[in-house]
Amino acid sequence: MLRWGLILGILLQASIVWAGAQQYQEISLSNRQELRQKFYGPTFQINSFRDVNHAVGWIAYQSGHLRKRMPDDRKRRDFLRMVHYEATRYQLDPDLVLALIEVESGFNRFALSHVGASGLMQVMPFWKDLIGNRTDSLFEMQTNLRYGCIILRHYLDIEGNNLQRALARYNGSLGSDAYPNIVLGAWQGRYRYTGAV
């Protein structure tokens, strides 16, 4: 009986969803305005890829990881282009953003955590008041990606580009390495694109 209880406990631990629970922290008005300008600012380029070969290679590589989760080829390719664009827009590695999405929501755009974190990147609703608009839908893919990417960029800026600490902030678990290690493991083990397909 004790053995089954131990096995059940391990299974429950393994199925924990690492839904984001960014902690509300007061942001100065100037920083808030800067984040809002970045959020609504003009796009810097239409295509985020270096060239056609990079686009084809990256999308083909990442499609292999997402085919079971997103069986429709066109929707999957559109999603990957969107992730690449939003990540690049905020100077983030698109591969890392894919790993974060896997850990946060399992690529479920309608994911909702018990604390209210919403969508693919599990964005907390208070961010809409801070940098966006209350009417923004965090279940709309591009909106959620834009919020998630700018939030991660904000945390990287706060932490002097220390990725481990920025990821912990993103998850609301600063001081623990568990969440950052899971995201970094997914990034390095599955999503890291080296240019070879």
Side-chain angles (χ1 to χ4, degrees):
M1 188 67 168
L2 180 60
R3 191 167 140 208
W4 281 107
L6 181 61
I7 291 170
L8 182 60
I10 291 169
L11 289 174
L12 287 173
Q13 282 286 49
S15 67
I16 289 175
V17 176
W18 289 93
Q22 299 101 17
Q23 302 296 309
Y24 179 86
Q25 295 173 336
E26 194 54 49
I27 299 174
S28 71
L29 186 57
S30 62
N31 283 347
R32 197 180 296 190
Q33 288 170 339
E34 182 182 337
L35 286 171
R36 191 179 293 258
Q37 284 176 334
K38 286 180 183 175
F39 187 79
Y40 287 111
T43 57
F44 65 88
Q45 59 189 24
I46 292 171
N47 187 354
S48 61
F49 295 98
R50 290 188 308 267
D51 54 42
V52 172
N53 290 334
H54 178 232
V56 170
W58 188 82
I59 290 171
Y61 179 79
Q62 301 301 1
S63 281
H65 301 298
L66 298 183
R67 193 164 278 115
K68 287 183 181 174
R69 296 175 193 265
M70 296 179 177
D72 184 288
D73 286 337
R74 184 186 57 77
K75 287 181 182 175
R76 186 176 59 252
R77 285 191 306 267
D78 289 347
F79 169 74
L80 286 168
R81 282 187 203 96
M82 198 182 305
V83 167
H84 197 280
Y85 175 78
E86 292 300 337
T88 304
R89 182 178 183 191
Y90 296 108
Q91 296 84 47
L92 299 172
D93 183 333
D95 306 344
L96 174 67
V97 172
L98 286 172
L100 188 143
I101 292 169
E102 176 186 291
V103 173
E104 285 291 334
S105 68
F107 294 93
N108 177 3
R109 68 180 278 200
F110 299 109
L112 183 64
S113 80
H114 69 285
V115 293
S118 304
L120 289 166
M121 295 187 75
Q122 290 292 276
V123 174
M124 291 296 285
F126 66 77
W127 285 102
K128 294 195 298 183
D129 288 333
L130 287 175
I131 62 173
N133 189 312
R134 284 186 181 183
T135 61
D136 288 342
S137 171
L138 295 176
F139 297 114
E140 197 277 317
M141 279 201 286
Q142 188 154 16
T143 301
N144 189 278
L145 290 169
R146 185 162 296 167
Y147 270 100
C149 288
I150 198 170
I151 292 164
L152 182 56
R153 176 77 261 159
H154 172 65
Y155 289 145
L156 280 164
D157 291 345
I158 287 174
E159 293 296 343
N161 286 318
N162 181 319
L163 186 53
Q164 193 92 11
R165 288 184 58 85
L167 287 170
R169 275 189 187 274
Y170 191 93
N171 179 252
S173 59
L174 191 60
S176 170
D177 289 337
Y179 174 83
N181 288 342
I182 290 170
V183 173
L184 294 173
W187 178 39
Q188 293 165 354
R190 276 187 294 292
Y191 296 103
R192 196 101 189 240
Y193 178 64
T194 61
V197 180

